[in-house]
Amino acid sequence: MADTRAATGLTVQQWDDKFFTEYFQENRFSDLMGTNEMSVIQVKEDLSKKPGDSVTFALVNRLVNDATTGSSVLEGSEEDITSRSFRLYVDKRRHAVRVSEMEEQKSAISLREAGRAVLMDWAQEDTKGLIIQAIESINGTKYADASEANKDAWLVDNADRVQFGALRSNNAANDHSACLANIDNTADKFTAAAVSLMKRLALAPRSDGSPKIRPVKDQGNGKRYFIILAHRLCFRDLKNDSTITQAQREVQLTMENSRLFEGGDILWDNCIIKEIDDFNTISGVGAGSIDVGRAVLLGAQALAVAYCKRWRTRTKEFDYGDKYGVAVDGIYGCKKTIFGKGSTDTADTIDHGMVTGYYAAVADA
């Protein structure tokens, strides 16, 4: 009697599903990613079962009117739900490896397994790179490619969500380069006081009516936190702040059930600060031509990721069967979530869930 065997296509599909699941769970920002509106990085797969090149994310502002009390008539006093939308375009991204002398691993599954580690690493690095690029971007434009006029216009619209060094007065009339030039290596390091100031900026009422930045709920302990991602040299300065050193002694014990807090993170003023070694240094722009780095506070829906097609693998034979290649590809995109505060969704855009800070980032002597 012949044994029943799983169809090759089904087995490959199961392998690809496992690949995507592990990729999603193990990438650098996995603890910040989720499918609901309370996630720092909101993920959607709306296009996985239908055609299209973009996904729309909705922002519904919180209700602010007072309650109707007693016998007062509620009808006619309803509050309008104000909402905005953010459209995220996706693109195909892929990479491949070629393996020789694979006679003993000709089957589709073993070939995929042979390239699994390097392809998984590449896919995770690709996603991390897109997320960092999005965080640093200026209204959707890569920071390095944005003109000074672009940066100044972004700063005008986001002035209450951007901090240069220790003082609000370091903002030089919303001139981005002039603001950076006010950052020095004495007063403008990233400190506990800087963290608290960023938090106050996140929670401050908006004069233009745009929503406050919302903290995210930790599914492990039920508490709400802001997340701050800090350039490695800014994180170094924060660790060296005596206020932080004293405060961290009991942190590990109190955060042991947290899903957002990892070993090496810093907790201060209900902000979880994480070190990001891949944040780009802005070279020679500070006072005395010092280098500057970012520390970015993130709340709910700060970034958006959309998948049209999950990562999947493909194989190909080369050189008369002597060599085999395996490729991985996916159709997805990642952007900072921005919403228009003007007459339309694209007018006078602001960073929806983010406060961007610039601080001294002078290398170790």
Side-chain angles (χ1 to χ4, degrees):
M1 180 181 294
D3 293 338
T4 301
R5 297 179 182 274
T8 301
L10 177 61
T11 306
V12 171
Q13 181 179 347
Q14 291 172 339
W15 193 97
D16 284 346
D17 285 344
K18 181 179 178 182
F19 182 95
F20 183 84
T21 300
E22 292 181 0
Y23 145 82
F24 194 86
Q25 293 174 342
E26 297 174 10
N27 81 79
R28 174 65 179 82
F29 296 103
S30 61
D31 55 334
L32 306 182
M33 301 174 77
T35 57
N36 63 49
E37 291 81 1
M38 286 305 299
S39 302
V40 173
I41 305 174
Q42 187 180 3
V43 179
K44 283 194 175 186
E45 290 192 78
D46 289 12
L47 294 178
S48 60
K49 296 182 180 179
K50 60 184 179 181
D53 64 350
S54 64
V55 172
T56 298
F57 291 76
L59 164 68
V60 179
N61 296 346
R62 66 187 180 92
L63 301 178
V64 296
N65 287 2
D66 293 334
T68 298
T69 60
S71 59
S72 300
V73 178
L74 177 59
E75 185 175 351
S77 299
E78 298 88 351
E79 182 176 352
D80 290 335
I81 298 176
T82 57
S83 62
R84 292 282 173 162
S85 63
F86 171 68
R87 192 174 186 182
L88 173 57
Y89 287 89
V90 298
D91 200 0
K92 188 170 186 176
R93 304 179 70 84
R94 55 182 178 164
H95 198 31
V97 294
R98 188 182 296 196
V99 186
S100 61
E101 298 180 1
M102 293 291 293
E103 287 299 320
E104 75 282 6
Q105 297 187 45
K106 286 185 179 179
S107 75
I109 299 305
S110 60
L111 178 57
R112 284 174 169 80
E113 197 62 39
R116 177 183 180 282
V118 290
L119 290 173
M120 176 72 76
D121 185 64
W122 178 85
Q124 291 176 348
E125 287 295 313
D126 186 62
T127 301
K128 181 176 73 171
L130 283 183
I131 290 174
I132 290 175
Q133 180 177 305
I135 289 172
E136 297 179 345
S137 67
I138 301 294
N139 285 337
T141 300
K142 188 176 179 180
Y143 185 86
D145 296 336
S147 67
E148 284 303 312
N150 295 150
K151 294 172 184 176
D152 291 349
W154 167 78
L155 183 54
V156 167
D157 291 328
N158 289 275
D160 60 350
R161 301 187 181 209
V162 181
Q163 178 62 32
F164 296 90
L167 302 175
R168 295 295 290 157
S169 57
N170 282 338
N171 184 322
N174 292 327
D175 182 324
H176 191 270
S177 59
C179 295
L180 291 174
N182 285 332
I183 298 173
D184 68 55
N185 194 38
T186 302
D188 297 313
K189 293 181 178 180
F190 190 49
T191 62
V195 171
S196 295
L197 175 55
M198 293 182 76
K199 177 186 172 183
R200 292 196 297 275
L201 293 177
L203 294 175
R206 305 294 167 192
S207 59
D208 56 17
S210 58
K212 297 178 182 179
I213 298 173
R214 296 173 293 151
V216 294
K217 186 175 181 179
D218 190 321
Q219 298 303 315
N221 61 22
K223 297 180 180 179
R224 296 183 183 275
Y225 303 97
F226 288 113
I227 305 298
I228 295 181
L229 307 181
H231 184 285
R232 58 186 178 82
L233 296 176
C234 298
F235 191 86
R236 172 206 62 191
D237 292 338
L238 182 64
K239 285 177 63 178
N240 290 335
D241 185 339
S242 59
T243 302
I244 291 294
T245 303
Q246 178 69 25
Q248 298 312 295
R249 293 179 179 177
E250 304 298 328
V251 165
Q252 287 288 352
L253 181 62
T254 60
M255 297 298 287
E256 63 181 3
N257 294 322
S258 171
R259 294 188 180 181
L260 295 174
F261 189 90
E262 300 175 300
D265 291 349
I266 291 173
L267 175 66
W268 175 255
D269 201 5
N270 273 63
C271 295
I272 297 175
I273 303 98
K274 299 175 178 288
E275 180 179 14
I276 303 298
D277 55 3
D278 291 318
F279 269 172
N280 289 302
T281 302
I282 311 174
S283 301
V285 296
S289 298
I290 67 166
D291 295 341
V292 170
R294 294 175 182 81
V296 183
L297 180 146
L298 307 176
Q301 289 184 294
L303 295 114
V305 173
Y307 289 93
C308 175
K309 289 188 177 179
R310 296 179 168 193
W311 290 111
R312 60 183 177 180
T313 53
R314 303 174 185 271
T315 60
K316 186 176 181 179
E317 180 180 302
F318 303 91
D319 196 17
Y320 300 95
D322 182 64
K323 298 177 178 65
Y324 294 83
V326 57
V328 63
D329 65 52
I331 301 178
Y332 77 112
C334 174
K335 292 290 184 182
K336 180 193 300 185
T337 308
I338 57 177
F339 293 93
K341 65 180 180 181
S343 58
T344 68
D345 289 339
T346 57
D348 299 324
T349 53
I350 58 173
D351 295 347
H352 167 59
M354 187 178 301
V355 173
T356 301
Y358 297 94
Y359 301 94
V362 176
D364 296 322

